[in-house]
Amino acid sequence: MEEQHFEIATALVQLISSEEAYQYRIVPHKEEGNQWTFKTDAVEQENLSQELSIVFGKHIILEQETQNNIQRYLETNYRKRAKTKEQKSLTYSEDFLLNIIYEAKEIGSSDIHFEVFEKQARVRLRIDGKLMERYVVSLKEYPKIINRIKIMASLDISEKRLPQDGRINLTTEQEDFDIRVSSLPTLHGEKLVLRILSKNSLHASLDNLGFTEKELTTYTTAVQKPNGIVLISGPTGSGKTTTLYATLKLLNTNDTNILTIEDPIEYTLEGVNQVQLKQNIGLDFASTLRTFLRQDPDIIMVGEIRDVDTANMAIRASLTGHLVLSTIHTNSAWATISRLIDMGIPSFLIASTLNVSVAQRLVRKLCTSCKKLETTLTKKELNLEQFNGIEEHYKAVGCPSCYQTGYQGRKAVYEIIPITEELVNNIIEKKIEIHQYLKDNKIATLKSNMIALVKEGITSVEEVYPFLI
């Protein structure tokens, strides 16, 4: 028997709102001119048909569907806005753009993508690290939406040939939050990405980010040293910034002077002196770091080490008695050392200044309401050595709690290598292979921590597989 699929085309999904879909227990099936066809599990279809005709101003046809199937359609395609009792009185603007932003905020989306192609434009939301198409927009309406965003973000609406960056601040009765806006000229028009910077993220502390007890002790010991460098590596969107801000929260006391140089400033921290990078006027990482050293700092946070000048200034700052925190793009904690050496930083300087090297990734957590116990692995998975010995694991299924995705929320996975005397010698002698050292000292790698999460039933084999190949 062929498996039934419950996804609906985006053009049909957006015909009605999430509230209307759940209130009337209907899902769009066809749109033919002035005639809309819905699937429903309602018994009194004649009355419902008449009411929907008045509400939507269309000729409505209803097709009978089972209650279970309608529920699956609704959960798969429409996310309910999470409104608490206090939020019920909150009224949002009917403006299409603001509705998209508020909807994305409520369902926990991190980014909103506005994209234009030859025949149509679309809006996608990133939820738990995965993009989901939410709206399609006509080519006629798309420029109006783009211009409205650019005006809100104080961008130049006449400039369509060059990328631009801006910021929007929105306030509701519950929360004040910022949105980072980035525009990019593409073949058929401008693409905009809106990054939602929720102040709630500032409540994150090192205790609940995903460190194991041993890793947390190692990390906090390293960041509480009076000088040295702490480097966090990982790809874009792996949670490095959240870890950095949680670290600054721990270190932010009345007797410390903390300076940061960021591009862009994602969250504002009370008591921390934050500087926004402005390369067009010469305010870059390296030049700002030189100025920082004359500002009597205790702790310096550099948004990212991108080049040799920034790396050299960070080393210099740590050598003169300051603690420096930063991020770098590498695949593992130990690869950070190789990257610095490749940049031209002398190995003896790296060895004498680096306190700890951290790598991190984000993996989706299985929904606890519907995850299913499995005892077998696929042939593809069995080919990976890391899965040897896994007899029981959990699989993503999908239920109302997780909107049929099988996952709910994400967890950071870390690899933390403290720089010991033995590693100092390895770095000076440029010995790259430390696999046996990690094994002897029981230091968990990214891969071993991911396998542990699979064994604990926190995530699935499918979720970690791409990180292990």
Side-chain angles (χ1 to χ4, degrees), residues 94-122:
E94 291 299 312
D95 179 271
F96 176 66
L97 173 60
L98 286 179
N99 272 337
I100 293 173
I101 293 172
Y102 286 129
E103 178 191 2
K105 178 75 177 62
E106 285 179 1
I107 64 178
S109 173
S110 60
D111 300 85
I112 310 170
H113 291 240
F114 293 84
E115 301 165 307
V116 61
F117 303 99
E118 186 179 359
K119 295 180 180 175
Q120 68 176 25
R122 68 179 178 183

Side-chain angles (χ1 to χ4, degrees), residues 6 11 99 127 143 162 164 212 229 251 262 323 419 433 450:
F6 294 92
N99 272 337
I127 301 167
L162 294 171
Q164 296 185 73
T212 64
I229 298 180
L251 301 173
E262 304 170 61
L323 180 68
I419 307 304
E433 182 51 58
M450 287 183 187

Side-chain angles (χ1 to χ4, degrees), residues 32 69 71 76 109 178 192 287 313 356 358 370 372 439:
E32 296 167 330
N69 282 353
Q71 192 62 30
T76 304
S109 173
D178 289 333
L192 259 64
S287 63
M313 283 307 304
V356 66
V358 180
C370 64
K372 180 185 173 186
K439 199 172 178 182

Side-chain angles (χ1 to χ4, degrees), residues 4 20-21 34 59 68 76 104 125 179 213 260 305 356 359 366 394 423:
Q4 184 169 354
E20 289 164 342
N34 198 46
H59 177 62
N68 284 344
T76 304
L125 307 181
I179 296 167
E213 201 170 318
T260 76
I305 291 180
V356 66
L366 283 165
Y394 284 88
L423 284 183

Side-chain angles (χ1 to χ4, degrees), residues 49 84 108 142 165 187 203 255 316 378 468:
S49 177
T84 63
Y142 186 76
D165 291 300
L187 179 62
H203 301 319
D255 59 355
R316 181 181 159 190
T378 65
L468 304 180

